Amino acid sequence: MIEKIKRGLEFFQMITYKEYETLYHDLELQQHPEILFIGCSDSRVSPEILLGAEPGDIFVLRNIANTVPSFDARTRDMTTLSGIEYAVLVLEVKTIIVCGHSNCGGCASVLTGRDQLSQLPYTKDYLQPLDIVREEIEKNAGDETPDTKARMMEELNVVEQLKHLKEYPFINERIADGNLSIEGWRYDIGEGEVAMYDEETQRFTPIVSQLKSTDHS
Ligand SMILES: [Zn+2]
């Protein structure tokens, strides 16, 4: 695999870089991304491919299960928090996307019970804030099928992270001023489809089919 990856580097230098040479020169000393994308570290979630984004378009943070620490637990994950702070206060991104995905191992292990993560003590501790989402599902949807519960866990986890984002004054103030918006997405890997959370209906609906219906109207 590492040889394949290095061949990819050669392809980048010989083909991709040449194609975008002007863009790379423009980007050498500056970046002005308008999007902060917070996604899972999962190898199947490739933000640039998913969004058709070019270098310089999106500022990306990825961690297990696309989490944002709550304001009360803000010392738990300074990596994510410093990235958000930089993106919002320095880069002044206009949109923050929190993107979950299907078959998320992090979400699945919370749903199964973190007790089973005894071999992964750091992960077990890191995922603790997601227990509240699992409890909500067990309370309201305990009889649903495992697949439905997994999807709900992935969706409600995204909603929970949006809630956390809004707890930070520097984010909430910008949302109130209309300078920042936040969106919750779930990427279905097998279907190649992304659904977005609608706060009014409290449901996730496919983004692309909505774009099409807007085009036709
Ligand atoms: Zn994941």
Side-chain angles (χ1 to χ4, degrees):
M1 178 53 90
I2 188 65
E3 282 307 317
K4 183 186 159 198
I5 295 292
K6 285 177 179 169
R7 288 282 165 209
L9 189 57
E10 186 180 33
F11 183 86
F12 169 75
Q13 287 184 349
M14 304 301 291
I15 309 291
T16 314
Y17 174 77
K18 296 268 185 268
E19 192 180 329
Y20 290 95
E21 202 166 351
T22 312
L23 175 64
Y24 281 109
H25 282 304
D26 287 347
L27 290 172
E28 195 172 1
L29 299 176
Q30 57 180 341
Q31 59 166 338
H32 300 292
E34 294 191 5
I35 309 286
L36 164 60
F37 182 95
I38 303 173
C40 185
S41 299
D42 192 295
S43 64
R44 299 164 294 179
V45 179
S46 300
E48 279 85 358
I49 294 175
L50 189 62
L51 304 176
E54 291 184 350
D57 283 349
I58 52 174
F59 192 81
V60 177
L61 289 173
R62 293 172 70 179
N63 58 38
I64 290 180
N66 41 270
T67 69
V68 174
S70 71
F71 188 70
D72 289 340
R74 57 194 178 277
T75 53
R76 284 184 72 97
D77 181 2
M78 299 310 273
T79 306
T80 301
L81 211 45
S82 60
I84 294 170
E85 187 175 58
Y86 184 76
V88 173
L89 297 182
V90 179
L91 299 175
E92 298 181 329
V93 295
K94 294 185 167 49
T95 308
I96 301 176
I97 297 165
V98 177
C99 185
H101 68 98
S102 58
N103 204 240
C104 180
C107 286
S109 57
V110 173
L111 205 51
T112 312
R114 289 184 305 107
D115 303 349
Q116 298 189 20
L117 291 174
S118 54
Q119 299 300 312
L120 305 174
Y122 304 133
T123 312
K124 183 180 174 187
D125 182 44
Y126 165 78
L127 291 171
Q128 184 271 328
L130 272 63
D131 279 350
I132 195 170
V133 181
R134 179 181 62 83
E135 284 159 17
E136 197 180 325
I137 291 169
E138 292 304 343
K139 199 170 114 196
N140 299 317
D143 295 336
E144 295 287 354
T145 64
D147 281 356
T148 302
K149 281 206 248 184
R151 183 176 49 74
M152 289 177 77
M153 181 75 210
E154 290 150 9
E155 289 182 349
L156 292 179
N157 176 47
V158 167
V159 176
E160 182 70 11
Q161 308 316 316
L162 294 180
K163 241 185 262 171
H164 292 175
L165 281 172
K166 287 187 204 162
E167 291 168 359
Y168 291 86
F170 73 94
I171 292 177
N172 219 0
E173 283 162 14
R174 279 163 179 76
I175 294 173
D177 293 346
N179 294 320
L180 179 68
S181 61
I182 59 175
E183 298 190 0
W185 293 9
R186 177 178 172 273
Y187 168 40
D188 188 311
I189 295 169
E191 298 296 323
E193 189 172 74
V194 177
M196 184 170 121
Y197 180 64
D198 181 334
E199 214 164 337
E200 258 178 51
T201 62
Q202 301 193 340
R203 294 178 77 93
F204 280 73
T205 48
I207 294 176
V208 172
S209 59
Q210 281 185 344
L211 293 177
K212 282 178 186 157
S213 60
T214 310
D215 288 347
H216 291 159
S217 61

Coordinates of all heavy atoms in Angstrom, one line a residue, residues 54-114:
E54 N -11.4 22.2 -3.9 CA -10.1 22.4 -4.3 C -9.2 22.8 -3.1 O -9.8 23.2 -2.1 CB -10.0 23.5 -5.4 CG -10.6 23.0 -6.7 CD -10.5 24.1 -7.8 OE1 -10.1 25.2 -7.5 OE2 -10.8 23.8 -8.9
P55 N -7.9 22.7 -3.2 CA -7.1 23.2 -2.1 C -7.4 24.6 -1.8 O -7.6 25.4 -2.7 CB -5.6 23.1 -2.7 CG -5.7 22.0 -3.8 CD -7.1 22.2 -4.3
G56 N -7.5 24.9 -0.5 CA -7.9 26.3 -0.1 C -9.3 26.5 0.2 O -9.7 27.5 0.7
D57 N -10.2 25.5 -0.2 CA -11.6 25.7 -0.1 C -12.1 25.4 1.3 O -13.0 26.0 1.8 CB -12.4 24.7 -1.1 CG -12.4 25.3 -2.5 OD1 -12.0 26.4 -2.7 OD2 -12.8 24.5 -3.4
I58 N -11.6 24.3 1.9 CA -12.2 23.9 3.2 C -11.1 23.7 4.3 O -10.0 23.1 3.9 CB -13.0 22.6 3.1 CG1 -12.3 21.5 2.4 CG2 -14.4 22.9 2.5 CD1 -13.0 20.2 2.4
F59 N -11.3 24.1 5.5 CA -10.4 23.9 6.6 C -11.0 22.6 7.3 O -12.2 22.6 7.6 CB -10.5 25.1 7.6 CG -9.4 25.1 8.6 CD1 -8.2 25.5 8.3 CD2 -9.7 24.7 9.9 CE1 -7.2 25.5 9.3 CE2 -8.8 24.7 10.9 CZ -7.5 25.1 10.6
V60 N -10.2 21.6 7.5 CA -10.7 20.3 7.9 C -10.2 19.9 9.3 O -9.0 20.0 9.5 CB -10.3 19.2 6.9 CG1 -10.8 17.9 7.3 CG2 -10.9 19.6 5.5
L61 N -11.1 19.5 10.1 CA -10.8 18.8 11.4 C -11.4 17.5 11.4 O -12.6 17.3 11.1 CB -11.3 19.6 12.5 CG -10.7 21.0 12.9 CD1 -11.5 21.7 13.9 CD2 -9.3 20.8 13.3
R62 N -10.6 16.5 11.7 CA -11.2 15.1 11.8 C -10.8 14.4 13.1 O -9.6 14.6 13.5 CB -10.8 14.3 10.5 CG -11.4 14.9 9.3 CD -10.8 14.2 8.0 NE -11.3 12.8 7.9 CZ -10.9 12.1 6.8 NH1 -10.1 12.6 5.9 NH2 -11.4 10.8 6.7
N63 N -11.7 13.8 13.7 CA -11.4 13.0 14.9 C -12.4 11.8 14.9 O -13.3 11.7 14.1 CB -11.5 13.8 16.1 CG -12.9 14.5 16.3 OD1 -13.9 13.9 16.0 ND2 -12.9 15.7 16.8
I64 N -12.2 10.9 15.9 CA -13.1 9.8 15.9 C -14.6 10.2 16.3 O -14.8 11.0 17.3 CB -12.6 8.8 17.0 CG1 -11.3 8.1 16.4 CG2 -13.7 7.7 17.3 CD1 -10.7 7.1 17.3
A65 N -15.5 9.9 15.4 CA -16.9 10.2 15.5 C -17.2 11.7 15.5 O -18.2 12.1 16.0 CB -17.5 9.6 16.8
N66 N -16.4 12.5 14.8 CA -16.7 13.9 14.5 C -17.3 14.6 15.7 O -18.4 15.1 15.6 CB -17.6 14.1 13.3 CG -18.7 13.0 13.1 OD1 -18.5 12.0 12.5 ND2 -19.8 13.3 13.8
T67 N -16.5 14.7 16.7 CA -17.0 15.3 18.0 C -16.4 16.7 18.2 O -15.4 17.1 17.7 CB -16.6 14.5 19.2 OG1 -15.2 14.6 19.4 CG2 -17.0 13.0 19.1
V68 N -17.2 17.5 19.0 CA -16.8 18.8 19.5 C -17.0 18.8 21.0 O -18.1 18.4 21.4 CB -17.7 19.9 18.9 CG1 -17.4 21.3 19.5 CG2 -17.6 20.0 17.3
P69 N -16.0 19.1 21.7 CA -16.2 19.1 23.2 C -17.3 20.1 23.6 O -17.3 21.2 23.0 CB -14.8 19.5 23.8 CG -14.1 20.2 22.7 CD -14.6 19.6 21.4
S70 N -18.1 19.8 24.6 CA -19.0 20.7 25.1 C -18.3 21.8 25.8 O -17.1 21.7 26.2 CB -20.0 20.1 26.1 OG -19.4 19.7 27.3
F71 N -18.9 23.0 26.0 CA -18.2 24.1 26.7 C -17.8 23.7 28.1 O -16.7 24.1 28.5 CB -19.2 25.3 26.7 CG -18.5 26.6 27.2 CD1 -17.6 27.2 26.4 CD2 -18.9 27.1 28.4 CE1 -17.0 28.4 26.9 CE2 -18.2 28.3 28.9 CZ -17.3 28.9 28.1
D72 N -18.6 22.9 28.8 CA -18.2 22.5 30.1 C -17.0 21.5 30.1 O -16.4 21.4 31.1 CB -19.4 21.8 30.8 CG -20.5 22.7 31.1 OD1 -20.2 23.9 31.2 OD2 -21.7 22.3 31.3
A73 N -16.9 20.8 29.0 CA -15.8 19.9 29.0 C -14.7 20.3 28.0 O -14.0 19.6 27.4 CB -16.3 18.5 28.5
R74 N -14.5 21.7 27.9 CA -13.7 22.2 26.9 C -12.2 21.9 27.0 O -11.4 22.0 26.0 CB -13.9 23.7 26.7 CG -13.6 24.5 28.0 CD -14.2 25.9 27.8 NE -14.0 26.8 28.9 CZ -14.9 26.8 30.0 NH1 -15.9 25.9 30.0 NH2 -14.7 27.6 31.0
T75 N -11.7 21.4 28.2 CA -10.3 21.0 28.3 C -10.1 19.6 27.8 O -9.0 19.1 27.7 CB -9.8 21.1 29.7 OG1 -10.7 20.4 30.5 CG2 -9.8 22.6 30.2
R76 N -11.1 18.9 27.4 CA -11.0 17.5 27.0 C -10.3 17.3 25.6 O -9.7 16.3 25.4 CB -12.4 16.8 26.9 CG -13.0 16.5 28.2 CD -14.3 15.7 28.0 NE -14.0 14.4 27.5 CZ -14.0 13.3 28.3 NH1 -14.2 13.4 29.6 NH2 -13.8 12.1 27.8
D77 N -10.5 18.3 24.7 CA -10.0 18.1 23.4 C -9.6 19.4 22.8 O -10.3 20.0 22.0 CB -11.1 17.4 22.5 CG -10.7 17.2 21.1 OD1 -9.5 17.4 20.8 OD2 -11.5 16.7 20.3
M78 N -8.4 19.8 23.2 CA -7.9 21.1 22.7 C -7.5 21.1 21.3 O -7.4 22.1 20.6 CB -6.7 21.5 23.6 CG -7.0 21.7 25.1 SD -8.4 22.7 25.4 CE -7.7 24.3 25.4
T79 N -7.2 19.9 20.7 CA -6.9 19.8 19.3 C -8.0 20.3 18.5 O -7.9 21.2 17.6 CB -6.6 18.4 18.9 OG1 -5.6 17.9 19.8 CG2 -6.1 18.3 17.5
T80 N -9.2 19.8 18.7 CA -10.4 20.1 18.0 C -10.8 21.6 18.3 O -11.0 22.4 17.3 CB -11.6 19.2 18.3 OG1 -11.2 17.9 18.0 CG2 -12.8 19.6 17.6
L81 N -10.7 21.9 19.5 CA -11.1 23.3 19.9 C -10.2 24.4 19.4 O -10.7 25.4 18.9 CB -11.2 23.4 21.5 CG -12.2 24.3 22.1 CD1 -13.5 24.1 21.4 CD2 -12.3 24.0 23.6
S82 N -8.9 24.1 19.4 CA -8.0 25.2 18.8 C -8.2 25.3 17.3 O -8.1 26.4 16.8 CB -6.5 24.8 19.1 OG -6.2 23.6 18.6
G83 N -8.5 24.2 16.6 CA -8.8 24.2 15.2 C -10.1 25.0 14.9 O -10.1 25.9 14.0
I84 N -11.1 24.8 15.7 CA -12.3 25.6 15.6 C -12.1 27.1 15.8 O -12.5 28.0 15.1 CB -13.4 25.1 16.5 CG1 -13.8 23.6 16.2 CG2 -14.7 26.0 16.5 CD1 -14.7 22.9 17.2
E85 N -11.4 27.3 16.9 CA -11.1 28.7 17.3 C -10.3 29.4 16.2 O -10.7 30.6 15.8 CB -10.2 28.7 18.6 CG -9.9 30.1 19.2 CD -9.2 29.9 20.5 OE1 -8.0 29.3 20.5 OE2 -9.7 30.4 21.5
Y86 N -9.3 28.8 15.6 CA -8.5 29.4 14.5 C -9.4 29.6 13.3 O -9.4 30.7 12.7 CB -7.4 28.5 14.2 CG -6.4 29.1 13.1 CD1 -5.6 30.1 13.5 CD2 -6.5 28.6 11.8 CE1 -4.8 30.7 12.5 CE2 -5.7 29.2 10.8 CZ -4.8 30.2 11.2 OH -4.0 30.8 10.2
A87 N -10.2 28.6 12.9 CA -11.1 28.7 11.7 C -12.1 29.9 11.9 O -12.3 30.6 10.9 CB -11.8 27.4 11.5
V88 N -12.6 30.0 13.1 CA -13.7 31.0 13.3 C -13.1 32.4 13.5 O -13.5 33.4 12.8 CB -14.6 30.6 14.4 CG1 -15.6 31.7 14.8 CG2 -15.4 29.3 14.1
L89 N -12.1 32.5 14.3 CA -11.6 33.9 14.7 C -10.6 34.4 13.8 O -10.5 35.6 13.6 CB -11.0 33.8 16.2 CG -12.0 33.5 17.3 CD1 -11.4 33.5 18.6 CD2 -13.2 34.4 17.2
V90 N -9.8 33.6 13.2 CA -8.7 34.1 12.3 C -9.1 33.9 10.8 O -9.1 34.9 10.1 CB -7.4 33.3 12.6 CG1 -6.3 33.8 11.6 CG2 -6.9 33.5 14.0
L91 N -9.5 32.7 10.4 CA -9.9 32.6 9.0 C -11.3 33.1 8.7 O -11.7 33.4 7.6 CB -9.9 31.1 8.7 CG -8.5 30.4 8.8 CD1 -8.6 28.9 8.5 CD2 -7.5 31.0 7.8
E92 N -12.1 33.3 9.8 CA -13.5 33.8 9.7 C -14.3 33.0 8.7 O -14.9 33.6 7.8 CB -13.4 35.3 9.3 CG -12.7 36.2 10.4 CD -12.7 37.7 10.0 OE1 -12.6 38.0 8.8 OE2 -12.8 38.5 11.0
V93 N -14.3 31.7 8.9 CA -15.1 30.9 8.0 C -16.6 31.3 8.1 O -17.0 31.8 9.2 CB -15.0 29.4 8.4 CG1 -13.6 28.9 8.1 CG2 -15.4 29.1 9.8
K94 N -17.4 31.0 7.1 CA -18.8 31.4 7.1 C -19.7 30.3 7.5 O -20.8 30.5 8.0 CB -19.2 32.0 5.7 CG -18.5 33.2 5.4 CD -19.0 33.8 4.0 CE -18.5 35.2 3.8 NZ -17.1 35.5 4.0
T95 N -19.2 29.1 7.3 CA -20.1 27.9 7.6 C -19.2 26.8 8.3 O -18.1 26.6 7.9 CB -20.6 27.3 6.4 OG1 -21.3 28.3 5.6 CG2 -21.6 26.2 6.7
I96 N -19.8 26.2 9.4 CA -19.2 25.0 10.0 C -20.1 23.9 9.7 O -21.3 23.9 9.9 CB -19.1 25.2 11.5 CG1 -18.2 26.4 11.9 CG2 -18.4 23.9 12.1 CD1 -18.1 26.7 13.4
I97 N -19.5 22.8 9.1 CA -20.3 21.6 8.8 C -19.8 20.5 9.8 O -18.5 20.3 9.9 CB -20.0 21.1 7.4 CG1 -20.5 22.1 6.4 CG2 -20.7 19.7 7.1 CD1 -20.0 21.9 5.0
V98 N -20.7 19.9 10.5 CA -20.3 18.7 11.3 C -20.9 17.5 10.5 O -22.1 17.4 10.3 CB -20.9 18.7 12.7 CG1 -20.6 17.4 13.5 CG2 -20.4 19.9 13.5
C99 N -20.0 16.7 10.1 CA -20.4 15.6 9.2 C -20.2 14.2 9.8 O -19.1 13.8 10.0 CB -19.7 15.7 7.8 SG -20.3 14.5 6.6
G100 N -21.3 13.5 10.1 CA -21.2 12.1 10.5 C -21.3 11.2 9.3 O -21.3 11.7 8.2
H101 N -21.3 9.9 9.6 CA -21.3 9.0 8.4 C -21.9 7.6 8.8 O -21.9 7.3 10.0 CB -19.9 8.8 7.8 CG -19.0 8.1 8.7 ND1 -18.7 6.7 8.6 CD2 -18.2 8.5 9.8 CE1 -17.8 6.4 9.5 NE2 -17.5 7.4 10.3
S102 N -22.3 6.9 7.8 CA -22.9 5.5 8.1 C -21.8 4.6 8.6 O -20.6 4.8 8.3 CB -23.5 5.0 6.8 OG -22.5 4.9 5.8
N103 N -22.2 3.6 9.3 CA -21.3 2.6 9.8 C -20.1 3.2 10.6 O -19.0 2.7 10.4 CB -20.8 1.7 8.6 CG -20.3 0.4 9.0 OD1 -19.2 0.0 8.8 ND2 -21.2 -0.4 9.7
C104 N -20.4 4.2 11.4 CA -19.3 4.9 12.1 C -18.9 4.0 13.3 O -19.7 3.7 14.2 CB -19.8 6.2 12.6 SG -18.5 7.1 13.6
G105 N -17.7 3.6 13.4 CA -17.2 2.7 14.4 C -17.3 3.3 15.8 O -17.6 2.7 16.8
G106 N -17.0 4.6 15.9 CA -17.0 5.3 17.1 C -18.4 5.3 17.7 O -18.6 5.0 18.9
C107 N -19.4 5.7 16.8 CA -20.8 5.7 17.3 C -21.2 4.3 17.7 O -21.9 4.1 18.7 CB -21.7 6.2 16.1 SG -21.5 8.0 15.9
A108 N -20.8 3.3 16.8 CA -21.3 1.9 17.1 C -20.8 1.4 18.5 O -21.5 0.8 19.2 CB -20.7 1.0 16.0
S109 N -19.5 1.8 18.8 CA -19.0 1.3 20.1 C -19.7 2.0 21.3 O -19.8 1.4 22.3 CB -17.5 1.5 20.1 OG -17.1 2.8 19.9
V110 N -20.2 3.2 21.1 CA -20.9 3.8 22.2 C -22.3 3.1 22.3 O -22.7 2.9 23.4 CB -21.1 5.4 21.9 CG1 -22.1 6.0 22.9 CG2 -19.8 6.1 21.8
L111 N -22.9 2.8 21.2 CA -24.2 2.1 21.2 C -24.1 0.7 21.8 O -24.9 0.3 22.6 CB -24.7 2.0 19.8 CG -26.2 1.9 19.5 CD1 -27.0 3.0 20.3 CD2 -26.5 2.0 18.0
T112 N -23.0 0.1 21.5 CA -22.8 -1.3 22.1 C -22.5 -1.2 23.6 O -22.8 -2.1 24.4 CB -21.6 -2.0 21.4 OG1 -21.7 -1.9 20.0 CG2 -21.5 -3.4 21.8
G113 N -21.9 -0.1 24.0 CA -21.5 0.1 25.4 C -20.0 0.2 25.5 O -19.2 -0.7 25.0
R114 N -19.5 1.3 26.0 CA -18.1 1.6 26.1 C -17.3 0.6 27.0 O -16.1 0.5 26.9 CB -17.8 3.0 26.6 CG -18.2 4.1 25.5 CD -17.9 5.5 26.0 NE -18.4 5.8 27.3 CZ -17.8 5.9 28.4 NH1 -16.5 5.7 28.5 NH2 -18.4 6.2 29.6

